[in-house]
PDB file of all heavy atoms in Angstrom:
ATOM      1  N   ARG T  10      -4.874  -8.343   5.811  1.00 85.00           N
ATOM      2  CA  ARG T  10      -4.374  -8.654   4.531  1.00 85.00           C
ATOM      3  C   ARG T  10      -2.897  -8.482   4.378  1.00 85.00           C
ATOM      4  O   ARG T  10      -2.136  -9.280   3.804  1.00 85.00           O
ATOM      5  CB  ARG T  10      -5.003  -7.922   3.410  1.00 85.00           C
ATOM      6  CG  ARG T  10      -6.480  -8.280   3.172  1.00 85.00           C
ATOM      7  CD  ARG T  10      -6.937  -7.529   1.841  1.00 85.00           C
ATOM      8  NE  ARG T  10      -6.794  -6.131   1.962  1.00 85.00           N
ATOM      9  CZ  ARG T  10      -7.852  -5.291   2.295  1.00 85.00           C
ATOM     10  NH1 ARG T  10      -9.043  -5.705   2.588  1.00 85.00           N
ATOM     11  NH2 ARG T  10      -7.705  -4.047   2.366  1.00 85.00           N
ATOM     12  N   GLY T 122       2.562  -3.047  -1.740  1.00 87.00           N
ATOM     13  CA  GLY T 122       2.810  -4.457  -1.881  1.00 87.00           C
ATOM     14  C   GLY T 122       1.569  -5.351  -1.853  1.00 87.00           C
ATOM     15  O   GLY T 122       1.301  -6.337  -2.380  1.00 87.00           O
ATOM     16  N   GLY T 123       0.553  -4.841  -1.028  1.00 81.00           N
ATOM     17  CA  GLY T 123      -0.759  -5.342  -0.892  1.00 81.00           C
ATOM     18  C   GLY T 123      -0.753  -7.000  -0.601  1.00 81.00           C
ATOM     19  O   GLY T 123       0.150  -7.355   0.061  1.00 81.00           O
ATOM     20  N   VAL T 124      -1.613  -7.688  -1.205  1.00 79.00           N
ATOM     21  CA  VAL T 124      -1.811  -9.055  -0.944  1.00 79.00           C
ATOM     22  C   VAL T 124      -0.700  -9.797  -1.442  1.00 79.00           C
ATOM     23  O   VAL T 124      -0.509 -11.013  -1.166  1.00 79.00           O
ATOM     24  CB  VAL T 124      -3.095  -9.732  -1.342  1.00 79.00           C
ATOM     25  CG1 VAL T 124      -4.335  -9.000  -0.573  1.00 79.00           C
ATOM     26  CG2 VAL T 124      -3.330  -9.419  -2.891  1.00 79.00           C
ATOM     27  N   TRP T 125       0.177  -9.210  -2.303  1.00 85.00           N
ATOM     28  CA  TRP T 125       1.217 -10.034  -2.971  1.00 85.00           C
ATOM     29  C   TRP T 125       2.605  -9.846  -2.300  1.00 85.00           C
ATOM     30  O   TRP T 125       3.626 -10.332  -2.641  1.00 85.00           O
ATOM     31  CB  TRP T 125       1.398  -9.545  -4.411  1.00 85.00           C
ATOM     32  CG  TRP T 125       0.217  -9.750  -5.230  1.00 85.00           C
ATOM     33  CD1 TRP T 125      -0.891  -9.005  -5.520  1.00 85.00           C
ATOM     34  CD2 TRP T 125      -0.113 -10.992  -5.942  1.00 85.00           C
ATOM     35  NE1 TRP T 125      -1.786  -9.620  -6.295  1.00 85.00           N
ATOM     36  CE2 TRP T 125      -1.288 -10.763  -6.649  1.00 85.00           C
ATOM     37  CE3 TRP T 125       0.644 -12.113  -6.123  1.00 85.00           C
ATOM     38  CZ2 TRP T 125      -1.831 -11.784  -7.406  1.00 85.00           C
ATOM     39  CZ3 TRP T 125       0.035 -13.183  -6.978  1.00 85.00           C
ATOM     40  CH2 TRP T 125      -1.192 -12.879  -7.493  1.00 85.00           C
ATOM     41  N   LEU T 249      -2.336  -6.771 -13.844  1.00 93.00           N
ATOM     42  CA  LEU T 249      -3.610  -7.193 -13.136  1.00 93.00           C
ATOM     43  C   LEU T 249      -4.887  -6.865 -13.987  1.00 93.00           C
ATOM     44  O   LEU T 249      -5.815  -7.732 -13.926  1.00 93.00           O
ATOM     45  CB  LEU T 249      -3.704  -6.119 -11.878  1.00 93.00           C
ATOM     46  CG  LEU T 249      -2.699  -6.343 -10.867  1.00 93.00           C
ATOM     47  CD1 LEU T 249      -2.715  -5.207  -9.718  1.00 93.00           C
ATOM     48  CD2 LEU T 249      -2.797  -7.704 -10.099  1.00 93.00           C
ATOM     49  N   MET T 314      -8.798  -3.898 -10.635  1.00 92.00           N
ATOM     50  CA  MET T 314      -7.339  -3.642 -10.237  1.00 92.00           C
ATOM     51  C   MET T 314      -7.161  -3.438  -8.760  1.00 92.00           C
ATOM     52  O   MET T 314      -6.139  -4.043  -8.307  1.00 92.00           O
ATOM     53  CB  MET T 314      -6.815  -2.203 -10.945  1.00 92.00           C
ATOM     54  CG  MET T 314      -6.586  -2.354 -12.594  1.00 92.00           C
ATOM     55  SD  MET T 314      -5.775  -0.926 -13.296  1.00 92.00           S
ATOM     56  CE  MET T 314      -7.258  -0.022 -13.748  1.00 92.00           C
ATOM     57  N   ARG T 315      -8.065  -2.818  -8.153  1.00 92.00           N
ATOM     58  CA  ARG T 315      -7.960  -2.605  -6.726  1.00 92.00           C
ATOM     59  C   ARG T 315      -8.048  -3.819  -6.020  1.00 92.00           C
ATOM     60  O   ARG T 315      -7.319  -4.230  -5.056  1.00 92.00           O
ATOM     61  CB  ARG T 315      -9.030  -1.611  -6.284  1.00 92.00           C
ATOM     62  CG  ARG T 315      -8.894  -0.166  -6.629  1.00 92.00           C
ATOM     63  CD  ARG T 315      -9.928   0.818  -6.024  1.00 92.00           C
ATOM     64  NE  ARG T 315      -9.492   1.110  -4.537  1.00 92.00           N
ATOM     65  CZ  ARG T 315     -10.098   0.867  -3.546  1.00 92.00           C
ATOM     66  NH1 ARG T 315     -11.196   0.078  -3.599  1.00 92.00           N
ATOM     67  NH2 ARG T 315      -9.710   1.182  -2.301  1.00 92.00           N
ATOM     68  N   PHE T 316      -8.944  -4.636  -6.478  1.00 91.00           N
ATOM     69  CA  PHE T 316      -9.036  -6.094  -5.920  1.00 91.00           C
ATOM     70  C   PHE T 316      -7.839  -6.899  -6.137  1.00 91.00           C
ATOM     71  O   PHE T 316      -7.279  -7.510  -5.312  1.00 91.00           O
ATOM     72  CB  PHE T 316     -10.296  -6.818  -6.430  1.00 91.00           C
ATOM     73  CG  PHE T 316     -10.469  -8.194  -5.765  1.00 91.00           C
ATOM     74  CD1 PHE T 316     -10.952  -8.320  -4.519  1.00 91.00           C
ATOM     75  CD2 PHE T 316     -10.167  -9.277  -6.434  1.00 91.00           C
ATOM     76  CE1 PHE T 316     -11.175  -9.527  -3.959  1.00 91.00           C
ATOM     77  CE2 PHE T 316     -10.215 -10.465  -5.854  1.00 91.00           C
ATOM     78  CZ  PHE T 316     -10.846 -10.656  -4.537  1.00 91.00           C
ATOM     79  N   GLY T 317      -7.273  -6.674  -7.333  1.00 89.00           N
ATOM     80  CA  GLY T 317      -6.056  -7.500  -7.745  1.00 89.00           C
ATOM     81  C   GLY T 317      -4.884  -7.214  -6.935  1.00 89.00           C
ATOM     82  O   GLY T 317      -4.085  -8.046  -6.398  1.00 89.00           O
ATOM     83  N   PHE T 318      -4.595  -5.931  -6.591  1.00 89.00           N
ATOM     84  CA  PHE T 318      -3.282  -5.554  -5.928  1.00 89.00           C
ATOM     85  C   PHE T 318      -3.539  -5.595  -4.342  1.00 89.00           C
ATOM     86  O   PHE T 318      -2.604  -5.769  -3.664  1.00 89.00           O
ATOM     87  CB  PHE T 318      -2.704  -4.366  -6.427  1.00 89.00           C
ATOM     88  CG  PHE T 318      -3.346  -3.088  -6.150  1.00 89.00           C
ATOM     89  CD1 PHE T 318      -3.501  -2.436  -4.970  1.00 89.00           C
ATOM     90  CD2 PHE T 318      -3.952  -2.309  -7.329  1.00 89.00           C
ATOM     91  CE1 PHE T 318      -4.105  -1.198  -4.797  1.00 89.00           C
ATOM     92  CE2 PHE T 318      -4.555  -1.233  -7.128  1.00 89.00           C
ATOM     93  CZ  PHE T 318      -4.630  -0.616  -5.881  1.00 89.00           C
ATOM     94  N   GLY T 319      -4.663  -5.244  -3.991  1.00 83.00           N
ATOM     95  CA  GLY T 319      -4.956  -5.082  -2.547  1.00 83.00           C
ATOM     96  C   GLY T 319      -5.982  -5.813  -1.888  1.00 83.00           C
ATOM     97  O   GLY T 319      -6.271  -5.726  -0.577  1.00 83.00           O
ATOM     98  N   GLY T 320      -6.773  -6.702  -2.671  1.00 84.00           N
ATOM     99  CA  GLY T 320      -7.978  -7.336  -2.133  1.00 84.00           C
ATOM    100  C   GLY T 320      -9.047  -6.341  -1.659  1.00 84.00           C
ATOM    101  O   GLY T 320      -9.887  -6.782  -0.893  1.00 84.00           O
ATOM    102  N   HIS T 321      -9.134  -5.196  -2.202  1.00 84.00           N
ATOM    103  CA  HIS T 321     -10.102  -4.220  -1.833  1.00 84.00           C
ATOM    104  C   HIS T 321     -11.449  -4.538  -2.493  1.00 84.00           C
ATOM    105  O   HIS T 321     -11.530  -4.847  -3.652  1.00 84.00           O
ATOM    106  CB  HIS T 321      -9.660  -2.762  -2.303  1.00 84.00           C
ATOM    107  CG  HIS T 321      -8.389  -2.340  -1.764  1.00 84.00           C
ATOM    108  ND1 HIS T 321      -8.155  -2.037  -0.357  1.00 84.00           N
ATOM    109  CD2 HIS T 321      -7.201  -2.113  -2.284  1.00 84.00           C
ATOM    110  CE1 HIS T 321      -6.920  -1.633  -0.244  1.00 84.00           C
ATOM    111  NE2 HIS T 321      -6.261  -1.665  -1.309  1.00 84.00           N
TER     112      HIS T 321
END
Side-chain angles (χ1 to χ4, degrees):
R10 289 190 300 262
V124 296
W125 297 92
L249 295 171
M314 282 187 274
R315 293 185 81 246
F316 182 78
F318 65 71
H321 302 291

